mmCIF file with all atom_site columns, all heavy atoms in Angstrom:
data_model
loop_
_atom_site.group_PDB
_atom_site.id
_atom_site.type_symbol
_atom_site.label_atom_id
_atom_site.label_alt_id
_atom_site.label_comp_id
_atom_site.label_asym_id
_atom_site.label_entity_id
_atom_site.label_seq_id
_atom_site.pdbx_PDB_ins_code
_atom_site.Cartn_x
_atom_site.Cartn_y
_atom_site.Cartn_z
_atom_site.occupancy
_atom_site.B_iso_or_equiv
_atom_site.pdbx_formal_charge
_atom_site.auth_seq_id
_atom_site.auth_comp_id
_atom_site.auth_asym_id
_atom_site.auth_atom_id
_atom_site.pdbx_PDB_model_num
ATOM 1  N N   . VAL B 1 103 ? 7.996  18.917 -19.373 1.00 97.00 ? 103 VAL B N   1
ATOM 2  C CA  . VAL B 1 103 ? 7.238  18.813 -18.122 1.00 97.00 ? 103 VAL B CA  1
ATOM 3  C C   . VAL B 1 103 ? 5.753  18.986 -18.426 1.00 97.00 ? 103 VAL B C   1
ATOM 4  O O   . VAL B 1 103 ? 5.365  19.899 -19.174 1.00 97.00 ? 103 VAL B O   1
ATOM 5  C CB  . VAL B 1 103 ? 7.686  19.882 -17.092 1.00 97.00 ? 103 VAL B CB  1
ATOM 6  C CG1 . VAL B 1 103 ? 6.829  19.805 -15.827 1.00 97.00 ? 103 VAL B CG1 1
ATOM 7  C CG2 . VAL B 1 103 ? 9.159  19.706 -16.737 1.00 97.00 ? 103 VAL B CG2 1
ATOM 8  N N   . SER B 1 104 ? 4.924  18.103 -17.882 1.00 96.00 ? 104 SER B N   1
ATOM 9  C CA  . SER B 1 104 ? 3.484  18.177 -18.102 1.00 96.00 ? 104 SER B CA  1
ATOM 10 C C   . SER B 1 104 ? 2.729  17.820 -16.832 1.00 96.00 ? 104 SER B C   1
ATOM 11 O O   . SER B 1 104 ? 3.171  16.956 -16.068 1.00 96.00 ? 104 SER B O   1
ATOM 12 C CB  . SER B 1 104 ? 3.069  17.214 -19.224 1.00 96.00 ? 104 SER B CB  1
ATOM 13 O OG  . SER B 1 104 ? 1.648  17.166 -19.343 1.00 96.00 ? 104 SER B OG  1
ATOM 14 N N   . ALA B 1 105 ? 1.600  18.469 -16.615 1.00 93.00 ? 105 ALA B N   1
ATOM 15 C CA  . ALA B 1 105 ? 0.716  18.100 -15.506 1.00 93.00 ? 105 ALA B CA  1
ATOM 16 C C   . ALA B 1 105 ? -0.524 17.393 -16.044 1.00 93.00 ? 105 ALA B C   1
ATOM 17 O O   . ALA B 1 105 ? -1.506 17.202 -15.338 1.00 93.00 ? 105 ALA B O   1
ATOM 18 C CB  . ALA B 1 105 ? 0.312  19.340 -14.715 1.00 93.00 ? 105 ALA B CB  1
ATOM 19 N N   . GLY B 1 106 ? -0.451 16.973 -17.293 1.00 92.00 ? 106 GLY B N   1
ATOM 20 C CA  . GLY B 1 106 ? -1.634 16.391 -17.950 1.00 92.00 ? 106 GLY B CA  1
ATOM 21 C C   . GLY B 1 106 ? -1.847 14.922 -17.610 1.00 92.00 ? 106 GLY B C   1
ATOM 22 O O   . GLY B 1 106 ? -1.143 14.336 -16.784 1.00 92.00 ? 106 GLY B O   1
ATOM 23 N N   . ASN B 1 107 ? -2.833 14.355 -18.284 1.00 89.00 ? 107 ASN B N   1
ATOM 24 C CA  . ASN B 1 107 ? -3.235 12.943 -18.227 1.00 89.00 ? 107 ASN B CA  1
ATOM 25 C C   . ASN B 1 107 ? -2.024 11.992 -18.244 1.00 89.00 ? 107 ASN B C   1
ATOM 26 O O   . ASN B 1 107 ? -1.303 11.901 -19.234 1.00 89.00 ? 107 ASN B O   1
ATOM 27 C CB  . ASN B 1 107 ? -4.135 12.758 -19.460 1.00 89.00 ? 107 ASN B CB  1
ATOM 28 C CG  . ASN B 1 107 ? -4.691 11.379 -19.634 1.00 89.00 ? 107 ASN B CG  1
ATOM 29 O OD1 . ASN B 1 107 ? -4.049 10.386 -19.306 1.00 89.00 ? 107 ASN B OD1 1
ATOM 30 N ND2 . ASN B 1 107 ? -5.901 11.320 -20.157 1.00 89.00 ? 107 ASN B ND2 1
ATOM 31 N N   . THR B 1 108 ? -1.810 11.260 -17.159 1.00 88.00 ? 108 THR B N   1
ATOM 32 C CA  . THR B 1 108 ? -0.617 10.411 -17.009 1.00 88.00 ? 108 THR B CA  1
ATOM 33 C C   . THR B 1 108 ? -0.512 9.337  -18.088 1.00 88.00 ? 108 THR B C   1
ATOM 34 O O   . THR B 1 108 ? 0.548  9.139  -18.685 1.00 88.00 ? 108 THR B O   1
ATOM 35 C CB  . THR B 1 108 ? -0.613 9.708  -15.630 1.00 88.00 ? 108 THR B CB  1
ATOM 36 O OG1 . THR B 1 108 ? -0.817 10.683 -14.618 1.00 88.00 ? 108 THR B OG1 1
ATOM 37 C CG2 . THR B 1 108 ? 0.706  9.007  -15.372 1.00 88.00 ? 108 THR B CG2 1
ATOM 38 N N   . GLY B 1 109 ? -1.627 8.644  -18.325 1.00 89.00 ? 109 GLY B N   1
ATOM 39 C CA  . GLY B 1 109 ? -1.605 7.558  -19.305 1.00 89.00 ? 109 GLY B CA  1
ATOM 40 C C   . GLY B 1 109 ? -1.281 8.063  -20.700 1.00 89.00 ? 109 GLY B C   1
ATOM 41 O O   . GLY B 1 109 ? -0.493 7.451  -21.432 1.00 89.00 ? 109 GLY B O   1
#
Side-chain angles (χ1 to χ4, degrees):
Chain B
V103 177
S104 173
N107 180 326
T108 309

